[in-house]
């Protein structure tokens, strides 16, 4: 796919990513934004995202993001619109902008979006991150430190700092080129990935303290309800990293963490070993993701949600054919 060719005749270009944007979503959207602005300084390029966590404000272009609410922003149809790190139905209020655009492009690495939803699709489920895919599409001589910082943050977040199995030799090759631009990568990793605010650590502590081992210790589950979130004054942006920490529990093949977004409505995160295909479980409930990390929204009490999920997790553990 050639981004320069696709956008050549366009005057107005839009970019968006999935709801509750994570590091890869923000990194890939802003990396693409910076690249397009460099390729075509005169064209209008707009990024639409739900409010990202403030940690990502170190990425150039962060202040240009148009923050999405419930309503679709009033915009004339875009000539080209990019859906990043997401399928169409996860774009939230930007979905209508994507649908109305004259030309659509989808860049993603989610197995649950294997076919792509654009006129042009660049979908590689085995890629570590959408940011790695954007790196592949950026012309080498156009890469600079600002674009590199955005993409490096995206890769770091989706690989858990190059620890997860999605990290491939070419991921590290891309990372090498990115740090070669001179970015202050230790600071970017520290400030966007590891550093936590006091309340973020407190809420993680609560989730760990209240985690329960089930299925003979092969699955660990935990949840935080809305009342507790309100008490600590945390939002969904503060919950990043909790499920990965819970998954470190020795002997487990599956970690489930959920927090209540509305009364009896939970955002569910799954992290698994090769014994359980997380995306397959999440897809049964309208969600998706990757083999080892996936998510979905579910209704009911904590116990309802766990009961509904564990049937399918147990089935895979018993079959041993994840
Ligand atoms: P997390 O658990 O960190 O929210 O997400 C893990 C992975 O699953 C990410 O790649 C994320 O994009 C994907 N994911 C999380 N929730 C959903 C969902 O509701 N629908 C889909 N399609 N993917 C999700
Ligand atoms: Mn991603």
């Amino acid at each position: 796919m050639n981004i320069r060719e696709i956008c050549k005749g366009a005057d107005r270009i839009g970019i968006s990513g999935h709801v509750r944007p994570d590091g890869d979503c923000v990194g890939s959207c802003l990396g693409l934004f910076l690249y397009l602005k460099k390729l075509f300084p005169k064209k209008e390029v707009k990024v639409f995202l739900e409010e990202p966590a403030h940690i990502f404000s170190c990425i150039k272009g962060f202040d240009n993001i148009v923050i999405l609410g419930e309503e679709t922003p009033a915009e004339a149809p875009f000539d080209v619109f990019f859906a990043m790190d997401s399928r169409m139905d996860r774009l939230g209020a930007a979905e209508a902008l994507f649908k109305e655009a004259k030309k659509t492009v989808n860049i993603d690495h989610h197995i649950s979006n294997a076919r792509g939803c654009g006129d042009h699709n660049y979908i590689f489920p085995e890629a570590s991150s959408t940011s790695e895919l954007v790196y592949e599409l950026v012309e080498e001589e156009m890469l600079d430190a600002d674009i590199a910082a955005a993409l490096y943050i995206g890769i770091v977040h989706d690989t858990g700092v190059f620890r997860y199995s999605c990290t491939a030799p070419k991921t590290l090759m891309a990372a090498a080129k990115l740090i070669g631009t001179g970015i202050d990568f230790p600071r970017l990793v520290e400030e966007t990935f590891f550093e936590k605010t006091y309340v973020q650590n407190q809420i993680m502590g609560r989730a760990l303290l209240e985690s329960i081992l089930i299925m003979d210790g092969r699955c660990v589950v935990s949840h935080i309800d809305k009342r507790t979130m309100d008490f600590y004054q945390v939002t969904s942006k503060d919950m990043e990293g909790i499920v990965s920490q819970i998954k470190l529990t020795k002997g487990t093949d599956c970690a489930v963490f959920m927090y209540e977004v509305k009364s009896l409505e939970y955002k569910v995160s799954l992290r698994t070993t090769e014994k359980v295909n997380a995306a397959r479980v999440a897809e049964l409930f309208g969600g998706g993701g990757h083999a080892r990390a996936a998510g979905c929204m579910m209704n009911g009490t904590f116990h309802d949600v766990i009961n509904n999920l564990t049937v399918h997790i147990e089935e895979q553990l018993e079959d041993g054919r994840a």
Side-chain angles (χ1 to χ4, degrees):
M1 192 165 85
N2 187 322
I3 291 182
R4 185 194 284 273
E5 281 301 310
I6 289 171
C7 298
K8 205 168 51 182
D11 292 322
R12 299 181 67 241
I13 304 169
I15 302 170
S16 187
H18 59 76
V19 292
R20 284 183 289 278
D22 56 12
D24 183 36
C25 180
V26 180
S28 60
C29 285
L30 289 179
L32 175 66
F33 167 78
L34 296 168
Y35 177 52
L36 287 171
K37 285 308 287 178
K38 193 165 176 179
L39 277 179
F40 307 111
K42 300 220 172 82
K43 292 190 198 295
E44 184 183 11
V45 186
K46 279 189 166 178
V47 184
F48 301 88
L49 284 175
E50 285 186 0
E51 191 173 24
H54 196 71
I55 43 173
F56 301 119
S57 61
C58 55
I59 306 176
K60 191 173 174 198
F62 184 86
D63 295 332
N64 295 74
I65 295 172
V66 181
I67 304 295
L68 287 173
E70 307 251 306
E71 307 268 307
T72 301
E75 291 278 351
F78 283 90
D79 298 314
V80 181
F81 202 94
F82 287 84
M84 306 298 290
D85 200 36
S86 181
R87 57 191 197 196
M88 188 160 64
D89 64 358
R90 248 184 118 209
L91 292 174
E95 183 178 344
L97 301 178
F98 183 84
K99 283 184 177 158
E100 285 162 8
K102 293 178 193 145
K103 206 191 283 178
T104 55
V105 187
N106 188 199
I107 304 178
D108 193 9
H109 71 131
H110 286 95
I111 187 90
S112 43
N113 182 28
R115 290 168 62 196
C117 58
D119 301 321
H120 300 268
N121 296 299
Y122 196 75
I123 313 283
F124 291 91
E126 68 285 3
S128 72
S129 53
T130 301
S131 299
E132 182 183 324
L133 296 177
V134 174
Y135 166 78
E136 291 173 3
L137 295 168
V138 169
E139 294 166 15
E140 202 172 342
E141 57 286 0
M142 296 300 264
L143 185 69
D144 60 31
D146 292 331
I147 298 172
L151 300 180
Y152 192 80
I153 286 173
I155 295 174
V156 156
H157 277 250
D158 260 24
T159 60
V161 198
F162 310 108
R163 282 179 305 147
Y164 304 151
S165 57
C166 61
T167 309
K170 69 178 184 168
T171 315
L172 296 174
M173 241 76 102
K177 289 278 186 196
L178 295 173
I179 69 173
T181 61
I183 54 172
D184 185 357
F185 64 91
R187 185 183 61 86
L188 296 177
V189 173
E190 191 63 26
E191 290 181 4
T192 72
F193 191 84
F194 290 109
E195 201 171 83
K196 299 280 170 209
T197 64
Y198 180 67
V199 288
Q200 284 168 351
N201 270 334
Q202 296 259 300
I203 202 82
M204 168 133 28
R206 282 293 292 258
L208 291 172
L209 194 66
E210 286 171 23
S211 66
I212 307 165
L213 282 174
I214 56 172
M215 296 180 198
D216 291 331
R218 298 188 72 182
C219 184
V220 56
V221 300
S222 189
H223 81 295
I224 297 283
D225 61 22
K226 188 85 184 63
R227 212 162 49 116
T228 310
M229 288 177 70
D230 292 343
F231 176 80
Y232 288 98
Q233 295 190 311
V234 292
T235 67
S236 63
K237 291 197 269 293
D238 298 303
M239 312 306 252
E240 197 77 29
I242 294 180
V243 68
S244 314
Q245 187 64 40
I246 292 174
K247 178 63 199 72
L248 294 176
T249 312
K250 195 171 166 72
T252 59
D253 286 310
C254 182
V256 180
F257 173 64
M258 63 185 82
Y259 61 87
E260 201 178 19
V261 287
K262 272 189 225 147
S263 179
L264 297 180
E265 188 178 336
Y266 282 91
K267 162 76 181 80
V268 179
S269 286
L270 300 162
R271 296 294 183 272
T272 60
T273 64
E274 66 290 345
K275 303 273 169 54
V276 179
N277 185 319
R280 222 199 287 159
V281 177
E283 276 167 19
L284 292 169
F285 301 97
H290 312 284
R292 307 282 158 267
C296 55
M297 301 295 299
M298 289 177 74
N299 295 308
T301 65
F302 167 61
H303 290 99
D304 294 335
V305 172
I306 287 299
N307 285 337
N308 286 326
L309 283 170
T310 48
V311 180
H312 303 285
I313 296 166
E314 220 157 15
E315 200 177 270
Q316 288 198 34
L317 282 173
E318 279 166 12
D319 282 4
R321 55 164 175 81

